Amino acid sequence: MNHLTDKNILLGVTGGIAAYKSAELIRALTKLGANVQVITTPAAESFITPLTLQALSGNPVRNSLLDPSAEAGMGHIELARWADLIVVAPASADFLARLAHGFASDLLSTVCLAAACPIAVAPAMNQAMWHNHVTQSNMAKIAAFPHIIVCGPAAGEQACGDVGYGRMEEPSTITEFITKHFTSQPSSSSPQQLAGLHVVISAGPTREAIDPVRYLSNESSGKMGYALAQAALDAGARVTLISGPSALTPPAACTTAHVLSAQQMHSACLTAAATADIFIGAAAVADFRPAHQQEQKIKKGSSDTMHIELIKNPDIIADVAQLTPKPWVIGFAAETQDVEQYALGKLQAKNLDAIIANDVSDKSIGFNSDHNAVSIITHQGTHRIAQNHKHAIATSIIHHISQLTVSH
Ligand code: C5P
């Protein structure tokens, strides 16, 4: 039996150059046994003809909300009920904005709003549009909806000549994503995997004061930790976020403690971890701090050099892992070489239950980026999660952790 036998997939095609790839996607889905119906937005039909989509899917293409003859057949609410999964590929910036805000201004957005099934979106747009703050804020909203899953976008050369994130994932990758969705359904579709559990997450950088106006810090944005907080909330957990200075707004539903230094983070984490079931150390804690914080602003003086003595900060996660009772402790290892090997060393040295390794030598992922690609290493083995938006990575991490802690 094919993985998608008898699955009803409603494919939404929106206006973008990648719409030509929808034809290939329909072929791949029908080959795997899926029943495919297609809805286009008006802009999509400037890029691909309804006739092509109809020929490949074997079903008439729908494009209008107010079409009496189409509604007399399968009405838009019946179409929403028919679908086991809605896939929007390509999903344009405009469509994603409408999806984020619950618009019902055309057939596709209306069906998305009426559907009870999951919705998978494959964003496709110019890289500047993708990185635009407004699109990113719409994506953060979308990623927080438990019924919407995001596939991509990929990075690379774009039709307009730009290079960067915004390319629609290849039809083969989207097909694999959809197949995985159906094969891992029982647990991934359960939004309450961490119900009743207290999850404590450290996030962001720390700031180590040199004098009243200067400090040592690092490039961490807090994006990964904040995304994990949202994913843990979505999974039903009670979440405490201990955050170093970050420009992000914490999810409203979690309890947040804002701290500056590693020592403040240490004290807040140990207090919260005392009642935690799971502790995730996503913060980039400064390893050292100035031995003496000057009370007055340091003067330049006449010397060409300055020496600041540094002393080691406490290792927060290692101390959490010494607590009794001990929560399930997950660390992060940002490395630039031999990533998984170094991460394994830290897993053992800090007595962790799992460590999430990521390669920060690749500038397109890790620190400050919206994307990441990670390996989850436990004492039992390694689970790799391919490059994706940090919100999607966070959902996968929380899903994997929930499986590990349940079997623990
Ligand atoms: O040793 P390294 O900094 O690479 O370890 C990374 C992991 O340890 C991360 O989970 C980080 O949050 C945590 N850590 C910590 N306290 C420190 C240093 C790192 O909790 N002082």
Side-chain angles (χ1 to χ4, degrees):
M1 188 177 94
N2 283 321
H3 290 307
L4 301 180
T5 300
D6 292 335
K7 297 292 183 219
N8 292 339
I9 298 180
L10 189 57
L11 177 66
V13 182
T14 72
I17 187 70
Y20 77 92
K21 293 186 181 173
S22 311
E24 205 180 321
L25 182 59
I26 298 170
R27 273 182 70 92
L29 296 175
T30 50
K31 256 191 182 165
L32 288 172
N35 308 312
V36 180
Q37 297 219 44
V38 182
I39 295 181
T40 55
T41 60
E45 295 186 5
S46 303
F47 294 94
I48 188 161
T49 69
L51 197 58
T52 305
L53 301 169
Q54 173 176 317
L56 292 170
S57 66
N59 286 305
V61 173
R62 299 284 302 267
N63 56 15
S64 165
L65 184 57
L66 306 170
D67 176 345
S69 59
E71 285 291 305
M74 190 186 269
H76 64 277
I77 299 295
E78 277 170 275
L79 205 52
R81 287 195 193 124
W82 172 85
D84 295 314
L85 177 71
I86 297 177
V87 180
V88 185
S92 65
D94 178 73
F95 171 78
L96 292 165
R98 286 184 287 127
L99 185 67
H101 294 89
F103 279 30
S105 47
D106 64 359
L107 180 63
L108 182 59
S109 54
T110 304
V111 168
C112 285
L113 208 54
C117 68
I119 302 171
V121 293
M125 67 197 76
N126 163 267
Q127 57 82 26
M129 291 169 75
W130 172 254
H131 288 295
N132 189 295
H133 185 68
V134 181
T135 305
Q136 285 305 311
S137 126
N138 288 336
M139 288 313 297
K141 243 177 167 247
I142 284 173
F145 297 131
H147 68 300
I148 304 183
I149 46 180
V150 182
C151 177
E157 207 171 305
Q158 304 202 299
C160 56
D162 279 5
V163 176
Y165 277 96
R167 281 171 61 96
M168 186 175 90
E169 286 288 9
E170 289 305 320
S172 58
T173 309
I174 300 174
T175 307
E176 200 183 318
F177 185 86
I178 293 169
T179 308
K180 269 197 194 143
H181 163 78
F182 281 112
T183 45
S184 64
Q185 265 237 307
S187 35
S188 67
S189 66
S190 154
Q192 297 297 301
Q193 300 156 54
L194 298 180
L197 300 186
H198 180 201
V199 177
V200 176
I201 300 170
S202 73
T206 63
R207 253 182 213 176
E208 311 301 327
I210 299 170
D211 70 15
V213 292
R214 301 182 179 101
Y215 54 80
L216 300 174
S217 191
N218 59 61
E219 286 288 336
S220 170
S221 60
K223 283 177 186 167
M224 196 65 239
Y226 279 52
L228 283 164
Q230 184 61 62
L233 287 169
D234 293 342
R238 176 164 75 84
V239 179
T240 303
L241 180 65
I242 317 284
S243 177
S246 164
L248 303 174
T249 309
C254 64
T255 306
T256 307
H258 293 281
V259 297
L260 289 176
S261 68
Q263 285 174 299
Q264 290 170 358
M265 187 175 273
H266 181 263
S267 140
C269 283
L270 278 135
T271 306
T275 58
D277 299 288
I278 296 172
F279 178 89
I280 307 176
V285 185
D287 290 323
F288 291 90
R289 68 177 183 275
H292 309 285
Q293 183 188 339
Q294 304 300 321
E295 283 184 14
Q296 304 299 331
K297 186 179 167 207
I298 300 170
K299 296 284 173 235
K300 220 177 299 173
S302 55
S303 172
D304 283 345
T305 57
M306 171 180 287
H307 295 280
I308 298 172
E309 192 190 351
L310 301 178
I311 54 168
K312 212 162 201 171
N313 268 326
D315 193 315
I316 301 169
I317 205 161
D319 287 351
V320 168
Q322 297 301 321
L323 290 174
T324 336
K326 171 179 165 284
W328 222 78
V329 184
I330 300 121
F332 268 77
E335 301 291 346
T336 53
Q337 53 175 344
D338 299 330
V339 178
E340 292 188 6
Q341 199 52 38
Y342 277 113
L344 189 60
K346 278 179 198 169
L347 174 81
Q348 287 153 354
K350 299 191 185 203
N351 189 30
L352 309 180
D353 296 291
I355 191 148
I356 298 169
N358 66 324
D359 183 351
V360 285
S361 68
D362 181 346
K363 289 278 174 240
S364 66
I365 56 175
F367 279 149
N368 243 321
S369 167
D370 290 322
H371 293 80
N372 210 345
V374 301
S375 302
I376 305 178
I377 302 168
T378 63
H379 298 281
Q380 284 72 44
T382 300
H383 173 81
R384 294 188 180 84
I385 301 176
Q387 186 164 329
N388 209 331
H389 194 274
K390 279 183 176 168
H391 288 282
I393 294 278
T395 305
S396 300
I397 291 174
I398 291 295
H399 173 59
H400 194 71
I401 289 173
S402 70
Q403 288 181 324
L404 292 170
T405 50
V406 165
S407 63
H408 183 54

